[in-house]
Amino acid sequence: MDFAPISEYVIKRLEELNVPSVAIGIQHGSQVVYREAFGLADVEKQIVATPETPYSIASVTKPMAATLVASLLQHEVATLDDPIQSHLPSELTGFTLVSPERATLKNVANHMSGLPLHYHFFFKDEPFLVPTFTETIRRYGHLVWPAGERYQYSNLGYGLLGSVIEQLNGRSLREVFRESLFAPLGMIGSTFDPDWSTLPFYATRYDDKCEPLPHYSTSHSAASDAFSSVDDLLKFGASHLPSVDSPLLNRESKMMMQASLVEGTIGSDYGFGWGLGRTSSGERYFGHSGGMEGVSTRLLIYPDRETILVVLSNRSTSLVAEIVEKLQELLGVANAPSPKAEPTKSVDETYVGIWTGSVETYEGNVPLKLQVLSSGSVLSFVDGQEVESQATISGDGMTGVVNSRLQTSDAAKTNHHLLLNLAFSQGLLYGSVTAKSDESERIGNALSHRAVLSFSRD
């Protein structure tokens, strides 16, 4: 197979988009058929990127954490249907649950736990310390919907799975990743949540102006904080092929992870740590993407043809998606088109009226009033003040943007707006209100709080 056009395309687009580097790998069965890196892992030091260069991989960390949980399930230390609270340390079992018996390991791993959107970043050049995970859960670990009923991609869930991994292994997450995942698979260039002193060995992360970013950490490390290389991710991907013997998982455990657990959600399904999809010819695939400040990553696995595809970059860029699309065309595995969105229906008159309640923050409740008009428009009042909003009613829920702020110590660290993600049920409007950093900030934060509102016609 001729990959020369891919290389030429990447070299051209690196310069056009001002992207420091990209690394690519493709494997068929046990044979690596293409591995190449372009550009610089560190522009200032003129360090050339290679397929062995470790990159920050963001959410590609999630299937790694899920693999460690699946290994525990395989050894019958836990079961899919165990409530996650039964395997958490005591200091984490007090977070508020809507339906605790249904917040199972399965529902946490497939983002159906009821936990909201969440990401929280801490840069080395800022005066904010990463809180303990116990404190993060105290502030944000609230199930805003009943577990098992609603899909919401949430880093908090994988943060909790990280605590389960530590609790059941009796070791730190860094040690478990190193000793129970990276070492058995020969992933010698991979690490989890590295110390700052070791960062010269990794690809430097760059912002949209191609300026180097200071190192940063997250409050949800099991969701986001692994570093790995093209060569190592090919090994990890190959270990999940059903036909390949793996030191970590048997075939049944792999198939469990690749099974559809969230049927028909957001254009594709989600398994146990893997996003699932179909090619235009109906061939199944699984994988994961990752995106943070200075990070764009993709890992895709096509089990029927035993093909693994990896693309990594040390800048947040559309180029990774472009390269993936080019490689899919070359390999004949183009994605099936996403289903078209259903047209918005007229607002249900039973929702028209005033909804009054509060946003529950760790520093106290903030009054919230939403007035739904028969036109479908929504007027928003935060802490008694009318504010501009672009919220809409769709089906049995309300989503939108509100031009207001929450004055908690965490949210106030960045300029932000509020995102509504609410559901109508049994006379209540409930869900999450998220303080999301404005685009002018670094990646910023998305800090969600539970909101509950009741209805009155007047």
Side-chain angles (χ1 to χ4, degrees):
M1 189 171 290
D2 183 12
F3 291 100
I6 297 293
S7 300
E8 294 169 2
Y9 177 83
V10 173
I11 292 170
K12 176 184 175 183
R13 293 294 282 160
L14 277 179
E15 183 175 353
E16 291 175 346
L17 297 177
N18 196 24
V19 175
S21 72
V22 166
I24 304 171
I26 299 176
Q27 182 169 326
H28 288 311
S30 60
Q31 183 180 5
V32 177
V33 297
Y34 180 66
R35 60 188 287 275
E36 194 166 0
F38 309 84
L40 298 173
D42 190 300
V43 176
E44 293 69 33
K45 297 177 182 178
Q46 292 291 291
I47 298 175
V48 176
T50 74
E52 296 95 353
T53 300
Y55 286 75
S56 172
I57 61 172
S59 286
V60 178
T61 306
K62 289 182 175 70
M64 293 181 175
T67 298
L68 291 170
V69 176
S71 179
L72 293 169
L73 300 178
Q74 181 175 294
H75 289 90
E76 300 183 349
V77 179
T79 74
L80 272 177
D81 295 323
D82 286 351
I84 191 169
Q85 287 205 115
S86 65
H87 298 299
L88 291 172
S90 59
E91 64 268 21
L92 290 178
T93 57
F95 63 96
T96 306
L97 300 177
V98 176
S99 49
E101 74 285 353
R102 295 173 63 188
T104 61
L105 291 175
K106 179 180 76 172
N107 283 336
V108 172
N110 67 14
H111 301 294
M112 293 283 286
S113 65
L115 287 164
L117 173 71
H118 179 87
Y119 50 85
H120 202 179
F121 293 86
F122 298 84
F123 287 81
K124 186 181 178 183
D125 64 344
E126 295 175 342
F128 310 112
L129 298 177
V130 181
T132 64
F133 190 62
T134 300
E135 181 61 19
T136 292
I137 291 303
R138 184 187 76 81
R139 296 182 182 189
Y140 304 108
H142 308 292
L143 299 194
V144 298
W145 301 286
E149 293 186 6
R150 191 181 184 96
Y151 178 92
Q152 175 59 65
Y153 188 85
S154 179
N155 290 317
L156 279 174
Y158 274 77
L160 287 170
L161 289 178
S163 293
V164 171
I165 292 167
E166 289 185 320
Q167 181 75 0
L168 295 183
N169 281 282
R171 292 173 287 157
S172 72
L173 206 51
R174 183 181 294 173
E175 291 173 322
V176 179
F177 266 77
R178 182 181 66 243
E179 298 167 9
S180 300
L181 181 69
F182 299 145
L185 294 180
M187 299 171 65
I188 60 175
S190 298
T191 190
F192 179 82
D193 190 21
D195 295 326
W196 290 337
S197 62
T198 66
L199 286 177
F201 299 100
Y202 302 95
T204 299
R205 294 182 280 214
Y206 289 86
D207 65 17
D208 289 345
K209 297 179 182 178
C210 214
E211 295 292 330
L213 287 160
H215 180 58
Y216 60 81
S217 300
T218 76
S219 65
H220 37 80
S221 58
S224 314
D225 288 0
F227 284 66
S228 194
S229 66
V230 159
D231 285 353
D232 282 0
L233 285 174
L234 290 175
K235 294 174 184 176
F236 176 69
S239 76
H240 280 271
L241 292 172
S243 59
V244 172
D245 289 334
S246 165
L248 302 183
L249 300 179
N250 59 29
R251 188 178 189 279
E252 290 72 22
S253 295
K254 296 176 192 178
M255 296 308 294
M256 178 278 293
M257 291 185 66
Q258 299 164 28
S260 176
L261 301 177
V262 184
E263 195 69 37
T265 301
I266 58 172
S268 65
D269 298 334
Y270 203 91
F272 196 88
W274 290 117
L276 312 177
R278 295 276 177 179
T279 68
S280 56
S281 63
E283 180 181 347
R284 73 184 184 95
Y285 67 87
F286 58 95
H288 219 288
S289 61
M292 302 188 302
E293 190 87 354
V295 183
S296 293
T297 60
R298 289 291 293 276
L299 167 62
L300 292 171
I301 302 166
Y302 300 87
D304 294 343
R305 60 179 69 203
E306 298 189 338
T307 296
I308 304 107
L309 186 159
V310 177
V311 183
L312 308 176
S313 180
N314 55 343
R315 213 198 96 179
S316 179
T317 174
S318 61
L319 180 57
V320 167
E322 291 180 24
I323 294 170
V324 168
E325 186 174 348
K326 293 284 185 184
L327 291 172
Q328 288 173 325
E329 291 175 359
L330 185 64
L331 298 171
V333 291
N335 289 354
S338 298
K340 294 182 179 179
E342 293 291 330
T344 302
K345 299 178 182 179
S346 58
V347 63
D348 188 328
E349 287 295 324
T350 60
Y351 301 150
V352 174
I354 296 175
W355 298 82
T356 304
S358 61
V359 182
E360 302 169 2
T361 83
Y362 62 93
E363 293 180 345
N365 292 351
V366 177
L368 176 64
K369 182 170 73 172
L370 302 172
Q371 184 175 359
V372 179
L373 307 180
S374 57
S375 63
S377 299
V378 178
L379 303 180
S380 303
F381 302 82
V382 179
D383 209 4
Q385 301 295 314
E386 183 173 3
V387 293
E388 179 185 358
S389 66
Q390 294 178 327
T392 58
I393 309 296
S394 178
D396 63 350
M398 177 191 298
T399 58
V401 178
V402 175
N403 186 22
S404 187
R405 294 167 57 89
L406 293 178
Q407 297 300 330
T408 65
S409 55
D410 283 347
K413 290 188 295 188
T414 67
N415 294 319
H416 64 271
H417 52 278
L418 304 181
L419 299 181
L420 304 180
N421 189 359
L422 306 169
F424 296 102
S425 179
Q426 299 180 344
L428 295 176
L429 181 58
Y430 64 93
S432 65
V433 173
T434 304
K436 185 177 184 299
S437 299
D438 295 340
E439 291 185 4
S440 60
E441 301 285 338
R442 286 172 172 173
I443 191 170
N445 309 307
L447 307 174
S448 296
H449 309 78
R450 186 168 59 178
V452 181
L453 300 92
S454 58
F455 177 75
S456 62
R457 181 67 61 181
D458 297 327

